[in-house]
Amino acid sequence: MAPDPNSSGGTSSGSRNEAAVKVPTKDPKKKDDKKDEDLSDEDLALKQQLELYVERVQDPDPGLQKVALESMRQEIRTSTSSMTSVPKPLKFLRPHYGTLKAYYETMADSELKKYLADILSVLALTMSAEGERLFEYASANVNPLFQTISGKLKVQIAGIRRNLAGEIAQEYAKRQSEEGPIDDLMELVQQIVAFHMKHNAEPEAVDLLMEVEDLDLLVEHVDSTNFKRTCLYLTSSARYLPGPDDMLVLDIAYMIYLKFEEYTNALQIALFLDNLQYAKQVFTSCDDLQRKKQFCYILARHGVTFVLDEEAAADDEDREVLQDIINNAKLSEGYLNLARDIEVMEAKTPEDIYKAHLLDGRASGAASVDSARQNLAATFVNAFVNAGFGQDKLMTVPSDSSSGGASGNWLFKNKEHGKTSAAASLGMILLWDVDSGLAQIDKYFHSNDNHVIAGALLGVGIVNSSIKNDCDPALALLSDYVDKEDPSIRIGAIMGLGITYAGTQNEPLRYKLSSILNDAKAPFDVIVFTAISLGLIFVGSCNEEVAQAIIFALMDRNETELGEPLTRLLPLSLGLLYLGKQESVEATAEVSKTFHEKIRKHCDMVLLSCAYAGTGNVLKVQHLLTQCSEHLEKSETHQGPAVLGIAMVAMAEELGLEMAIRSLEHLLQYGEQNIRRAVPLALGLLCISNPKVNVMDTLSRLSHDTDSEVAMAAVIALGLIGAGTNNARIAGMLRNLSSYYYKDASLLFCVRIAQGLVHLGKGLLTLNPYHSERFLLSPTALAGIITMLHACLDMKAIILGKYHYVLYFLVLAMQPRMLMTVDENLKPLSVPVRVGQAVDVVGQAGRPKTITGFQTHSTPVLLAAGDRAELATEKYIPLSPILEGFVILKENPDYREDH
């Protein structure tokens, strides 16, 4: 028997090893004898052999030492073990760990010491005693033992690597705080990362580099086999990292994608970072015109204003084609192709949506009563349902020579400001079709009724929404009306400009609209809509001049004006300038503390929620929840925006979204009335165009609430979560509500609006501001939704008052929820695709399936929330890894048809 290891290992290490091997202190000899009896002859021989090696290792003769260490390594390497048990050589060497450790510490630096370090580091992993530091034995050439190890020990070796990485992270933090040298650590890190990257452990490599704050190393270690998995892990983890680490991680992913010429993914990261320089670099790095066209489709979907220069596309004709795609010139054509393919071109009337014949007698009778409020509701339903189809049965019916046309008839079935929404609804029906739209709206400009002219101006703005045009027809038509006498005409023109030029940061418009904000004689509502339009045009730009103009407009308001319901939109317009820009809002937030006490806190909440919208920042969510926990007097208005803020911040990723839904449930139970009124709207924003059953049930319950404001908000929220889905369950709920509230005109109006939203674009449109598999958030789309939601915080005064046309701000978020495949000449191309529920495959080895429960369809197809598509043929190669919106396919040169 070899000498007892515990005697030479020092008292502390001895006691630890006793714990690890679980040797009772009474009589170790007896226990050992008993153990030996249990072993087979083969195992006994191996045990004695290893004990002999341990003695030889301590021999003064280096030759004998080397032979003993070599033999030990050979035994460890060739041993067999299962996934769960420790290999036998390691098991028999455990009791001698203390001996070897003590001897290692006395050895001089040499090759032999490194050999022993390797063996000790493998042994240290099996000793579960606390404080055993693999790190001390990680020789500078990082364990050749691991690199030549047989597959049988892979599991244990991965464990060693992981433990070692953990220790390095601790050691790094310790040395950072003590300001010690870290070169030896970084050398180890280099080798461990190289090992991880070769062995499909990209997440471990990324985590280690994050711990030692040196992610740049990653770029040189990725290769064509693992870069996709690495980047997927980087982009997914970015959502959960605190700033500025999240941006750094995405920067690295961007560099890796560029290195491997995955330009489409690089462009998406550039858009996520809101870095147009990066986007430009993608265009200049890529030479393939077809791929550039695909980039343009992504830019168009994101709603970003991007002007191509000669560097991005040298040839003039090519540049014009590309710019046309960015300007969304073909969006209407693609959308109508989809509608024809799905066979929903026929116009629908509001009655087709209400389905009053399915209800019992009393409600169906009430539905036919011709009141201005019901006609206004029908106007909106008609506009939402036939959005973008270019034809309907109320506004675009061919005119009859004697009566001046049915559209005129319908228009005048609405009262005063109702005519504004009715005329503007024509813009919604002709959405994205600029030439035909402007021609049809033109007749209303010659009307004698100011409300009709206002509606026509707003209609022009709506038609041009998301479409950019070199001749700027909207600017030419609307700018003359901005300074007219009549407030309603001015609001129509200003709102139209805001919708058309949202996100464009158009400087001439800044001058024009800022002058209205400074005009002391301008009516209050005109000032509010001017501020909102400026907020939309400069959304997320942090433009100081605009911010200053809005701040002055806010400071100039007297106390009675600050009490007006519309006032709540002024702080929002300021918040829109900083949408998603995080810390950039701080200076403005400081200024807002000097505002009138009536609006100070309200402004603070709005600025905070806008600045952190879509970031998932947990600390900000907690801060907003704290604001909601206070019980205040009725006059306080800041808690509503705080509740909406929770939804705006938490909508970034699925986990945060689920947590926010649960937090909002608590607010419903314990919150004051003004909080309960905002909760349905927040739920509507979290699940917009994504009808989750639990949220649907909560809203259904709230739609019968005793407080009519809560019920109205819940009804509108039901419309939002079902927007464009044709969801039969929500449609049924709303039908029942229309019969339940048949005597309450206000609630019935909300039910009708919700019904229109559920059937938005006959089920072909979505309001979801997220796209590209929920990776990118379109700022203009989110801005449109939250403007409408803030207006809904005071339903009675704004939506049910004379400003119902704020509902048209939703047009900024309307997009076809389609996959349209086109060939290299941008002509529609029908190919089979599999559409199924998306599966999260981050960090999974191999090539896991990315969708589940799929069905095969021919394009164009509709994609619901959480759906993902993949090509079901190898004949074509898609130029975008994410199949959404317009995707260009090129023929696969290696494809051979099976005969």
Side-chain angles (χ1 to χ4, degrees):
M1 287 277 293
D4 182 54
N6 299 335
S7 58
S8 58
T11 51
S12 67
S13 113
S15 62
R16 273 207 304 273
N17 292 327
E18 278 173 19
V21 191
K22 295 198 172 67
V23 178
T25 44
K26 291 178 190 167
D27 195 351
K29 279 280 188 291
K30 267 187 190 172
K31 177 87 176 173
D32 274 4
D33 293 346
K34 196 167 184 197
K35 253 191 176 173
D36 287 0
E37 282 167 25
D38 292 345
L39 297 176
S40 66
D41 295 348
E42 199 180 315
D43 287 353
L44 203 57
L46 176 64
K47 185 171 190 248
Q48 286 162 353
Q49 187 73 34
L50 286 166
E51 284 163 354
L52 182 65
Y53 293 151
V54 172
E55 280 180 21
R56 291 279 161 80
V57 166
Q58 299 167 70
D59 199 285
D61 176 4
L64 267 179
Q65 279 185 355
K66 186 166 185 186
V67 172
L69 284 167
E70 278 292 344
S71 312
M72 231 188 250
R73 288 175 57 147
Q74 198 55 34
E75 288 289 359
I76 292 173
R77 227 181 254 151
T78 55
S79 70
T80 56
S81 74
S82 71
M83 291 272 285
T84 49
S85 66
V86 177
K88 281 190 176 133
L90 292 180
K91 196 170 166 185
F92 297 143
L93 282 171
R94 263 178 175 177
H96 308 288
Y97 179 69
T99 317
L100 292 172
K101 184 176 168 184
Y103 183 68
Y104 172 82
E105 280 157 14
T106 63
M107 282 173 86
D109 278 347
S110 64
E111 276 300 305
L112 290 176
K113 185 165 184 174
K114 286 180 181 173
Y115 265 35
L116 184 53
D118 285 343
I119 289 168
L120 278 171
S121 58
V122 178
L123 260 180
L125 180 75
T126 67
M127 309 294 292
S128 55
E130 195 142 331
E132 281 307 341
R133 307 259 303 167
L134 295 172
F135 176 67
E136 292 163 17
Y137 311 118
S139 46
N141 63 339
V142 174
N143 314 350
L145 176 65
F146 299 164
Q147 284 153 19
T148 49
I149 206 101
S150 72
K152 297 163 192 163
L153 253 181
K154 270 274 166 61
V155 179
Q156 274 87 356
I157 297 313
I160 294 180
R161 293 269 160 188
R162 215 164 283 141
N163 282 16
L164 191 54
E167 285 180 13
I168 287 174
Q170 290 168 1
E171 185 71 17
Y172 178 82
K174 186 174 153 197
R175 290 195 193 179
Q176 283 290 75
S177 59
E178 294 167 4
E179 295 183 3
I182 53 168
D183 298 350
D184 57 330
L185 274 181
M186 295 320 285
E187 216 169 303
L188 267 178
V189 168
Q190 279 271 23
Q191 295 175 41
I192 292 177
V193 168
F195 179 88
H196 278 325
M197 295 303 281
K198 276 197 189 77
H199 294 85
N200 296 341
E202 298 87 1
E204 277 97 332
V206 172
D207 290 344
L208 177 59
L209 289 172
M210 280 186 199
E211 291 286 356
V212 298
E213 296 168 17
D214 196 2
L215 257 181
D216 298 340
L217 271 179
L218 198 59
V219 182
E220 60 204 57
H221 284 292
V222 284
D223 58 36
S224 56
T225 60
N226 59 23
F227 81 92
K228 282 187 178 162
R229 282 198 304 272
T230 308
C231 288
L232 185 61
Y233 183 70
L234 286 170
T235 49
S236 305
S237 58
R239 295 213 179 278
Y240 299 100
L241 290 171
D245 293 359
D246 51 351
M247 296 303 160
L248 173 74
V249 164
L250 289 167
D251 266 341
I252 301 291
Y254 172 79
M255 285 177 339
I256 294 173
Y257 277 136
L258 272 192
K259 178 179 170 184
F260 292 97
E261 298 188 354
E262 282 285 329
Y263 297 121
T264 322
N265 295 77
L267 177 66
Q268 282 170 338
I269 289 177
L271 291 176
F272 185 90
L273 294 168
D274 198 18
N275 187 329
L276 290 185
Q277 275 314 106
Y278 274 8
K280 202 168 179 183
Q281 193 181 342
V282 171
F283 270 94
T284 47
S285 311
C286 176
D287 304 323
D288 181 355
L289 178 65
Q290 297 305 332
R291 288 172 87 174
K292 285 185 179 177
K293 286 179 186 172
Q294 186 63 62
F295 303 160
C296 293
Y297 277 127
I298 293 170
L299 288 168
R301 171 66 183 92
H302 194 56
V304 67
T305 305
F306 193 81
V307 180
L308 297 169
D309 53 14
E310 286 185 9
E311 277 179 53
D315 184 76
D316 285 352
E317 274 184 33
D318 290 347
R319 192 161 62 247
E320 197 173 319
V321 170
L322 294 174
Q323 194 66 56
D324 262 359
I325 298 175
I326 295 180
N327 293 349
N328 258 330
K330 295 274 189 293
L331 180 58
S332 177
E333 194 182 306
Y335 176 60
L336 291 172
N337 271 334
L338 168 75
R340 278 186 209 102
D341 196 86
I342 296 176
E343 297 179 356
V344 290
M345 279 305 288
E346 193 187 336
K348 286 198 167 183
T349 62
E351 284 69 40
D352 297 338
I353 304 303
Y354 301 160
K355 294 195 168 73
H357 63 275
L358 296 177
L359 300 169
D360 57 12
R362 57 175 191 169
S364 54
S368 59
V369 177
D370 212 13
S371 76
R373 173 60 59 87
Q374 287 312 307
N375 287 350
L376 180 60
T379 298
F380 280 111
V381 172
N382 184 52
F384 287 143
V385 172
N386 296 303
F389 284 89
Q391 55 184 32
D392 74 321
K393 291 185 177 169
L394 297 185
M395 297 297 294
T396 58
V397 187
S399 59
D400 178 342
S401 54
S402 60
S403 66
S407 65
N409 290 348
W410 180 257
L411 190 63
F412 294 105
K413 282 187 179 175
N414 290 279
K415 280 190 187 153
E416 299 171 2
H417 44 77
K419 292 178 199 161
T420 306
S421 284
S425 73
L426 189 54
M428 180 78 91
I429 292 158
L430 296 157
L431 187 59
W432 305 320
D433 185 357
V434 178
D435 299 338
S436 169
L438 296 180
Q440 291 204 43
I441 294 170
D442 182 61
K443 59 178 177 282
Y444 294 141
F445 281 110
H446 311 301
S447 167
N448 305 327
D449 190 326
N450 287 342
H451 292 295
V452 176
I453 297 173
L457 293 163
L458 178 52
V460 168
I462 293 170
V463 164
N464 285 282
S465 169
S466 312
I467 312 285
K468 304 183 181 53
N469 200 314
D470 297 339
C471 17
D472 269 346
L475 190 61
L477 276 168
L478 301 180
S479 50
D480 298 344
Y481 289 89
V482 168
D483 302 319
K484 285 272 189 280
E485 280 291 300
D486 187 75
S488 56
I489 289 183
R490 293 179 78 176
I491 290 174
I494 289 163
M495 199 171 149
L497 287 169
I499 290 174
T500 296
Y501 294 98
T504 57
Q505 300 177 30
N506 186 310
E507 278 300 312
L509 276 177
R510 179 173 71 78
Y511 290 120
K512 195 157 194 63
L513 296 179
S514 298
S515 62
I516 300 176
L517 286 183
N518 305 330
D519 178 5
K521 292 186 190 137
F524 181 58
D525 51 1
V526 173
I527 284 178
V528 171
F529 280 99
T530 305
I532 281 290
S533 285
L534 275 170
L536 290 172
I537 293 166
F538 288 89
V539 65
S541 66
C542 306
N543 186 305
E544 283 182 20
E545 287 98 336
V546 180
Q548 224 163 354
I550 296 174
I551 287 169
F552 286 145
L554 257 167
M555 287 177 162
D556 291 345
R557 306 279 64 86
N558 58 38
E559 199 155 335
T560 51
E561 285 180 326
L562 289 177
E564 291 269 325
L566 273 180
T567 311
R568 64 177 64 252
L569 296 179
L570 275 176
L572 175 65
S573 58
L574 195 53
L576 291 178
L577 299 176
Y578 299 96
L579 195 69
K581 287 290 174 276
Q582 307 195 23
E583 291 84 15
S584 315
V585 79
E586 282 167 8
T588 309
E590 280 305 310
V591 175
S592 75
K593 293 193 172 123
T594 63
F595 290 169
H596 191 286
E597 60 185 339
K598 251 190 176 177
I599 202 160
R600 192 180 303 152
K601 268 197 146 174
H602 183 115
C603 206
D604 195 34
M605 291 300 100
V606 173
L607 287 173
L608 177 79
S609 57
C610 285
Y612 288 88
T615 59
N617 187 313
V618 184
L619 297 173
K620 299 300 172 223
V621 175
Q622 288 172 346
H623 176 70
L624 290 164
L625 278 168
T626 313
Q627 294 296 326
C628 296
S629 63
E630 298 167 9
H631 295 283
L632 306 161
E633 306 96 66
K634 288 271 184 284
S635 60
E636 290 283 350
T637 61
H638 70 274
Q639 289 180 320
V643 175
L644 283 181
I646 294 168
M648 284 157 66
V649 178
M651 67 194 291
E653 37 76 39
E654 286 297 326
L655 282 176
L657 193 141
E658 291 296 333
M659 296 299 289
I661 291 173
R662 282 165 54 185
S663 302
L664 290 170
E665 292 274 355
H666 290 300
L667 289 181
L668 271 180
Q669 287 170 327
Y670 306 114
E672 292 289 319
Q673 212 56 16
N674 51 2
I675 292 178
R676 295 188 72 235
R677 287 171 182 175
V679 168
L681 299 172
L683 288 170
L685 175 59
L686 281 171
C687 302
I688 197 157
S689 290
N690 179 11
K692 294 191 173 202
V693 176
N694 56 336
V695 177
M696 206 190 296
D697 291 341
T698 304
L699 291 174
S700 174
R701 193 178 76 238
L702 290 174
S703 63
H704 295 81
D705 199 272
T706 46
D707 178 1
S708 65
E709 293 256 351
V710 176
M712 285 182 208
V715 170
I716 293 285
L718 274 172
L720 290 174
I721 67 168
T725 61
N726 281 350
N727 186 292
R729 191 157 171 232
I730 295 182
M733 283 177 187
L734 291 170
R735 261 200 312 280
N736 293 336
L737 282 167
S738 72
S739 114
Y740 184 73
Y741 288 126
Y742 81 105
K743 280 185 175 164
D744 185 331
S746 303
L747 265 153
L748 189 56
F749 179 79
C750 293
V751 172
R752 298 304 187 208
I753 299 294
Q755 284 178 308
L757 286 172
V758 169
H759 298 279
L760 191 65
K762 298 175 199 160
L764 307 190
L765 294 172
T766 178
L767 289 182
N768 197 341
Y770 277 97
H771 60 100
S772 301
E773 290 180 1
R774 255 193 142 270
F775 181 62
L776 292 175
L777 171 67
S778 165
T780 45
L782 182 61
I785 294 165
I786 57 180
T787 305
M788 179 263 192
L789 288 175
H790 272 265
C792 286
L793 284 173
D794 195 338
M795 281 280 198
K796 285 186 173 149
I798 301 177
I799 307 285
L800 300 170
K802 61 176 188 171
Y803 302 108
H804 35 78
Y805 37 80
V806 295
L807 289 170
Y808 285 125
F809 278 124
L810 284 178
V811 75
L812 292 169
M814 287 183 195
Q815 287 289 340
R817 55 184 188 102
M818 64 177 180
L819 162 61
M820 169 78 73
T821 45
V822 295
D823 60 17
E824 297 185 346
N825 302 320
L826 310 186
K827 296 280 177 281
L829 178 66
S830 188
V831 294
V833 287
R834 290 188 280 267
V835 179
Q837 202 58 32
V839 179
D840 188 9
V841 293
V842 181
Q844 290 186 20
R847 291 191 182 165
K849 293 271 182 281
T850 54
I851 60 174
T852 179
F854 59 81
Q855 291 182 324
T856 307
H857 301 284
S858 290
T859 57
V861 293
L862 290 180
L863 298 175
D867 275 359
R868 185 180 283 164
E870 55 183 43
L871 281 191
T873 170
E874 288 175 11
K875 187 175 178 182
Y876 298 98
I877 300 170
L879 296 185
S880 163
I882 293 175
L883 299 189
E884 258 179 48
F886 289 93
V887 176
I888 300 173
L889 303 180
K890 66 173 187 182
E891 293 205 359
N892 183 353
D894 307 327
Y895 177 72
R896 296 278 174 277
E897 284 208 25
D898 301 333
H899 291 299

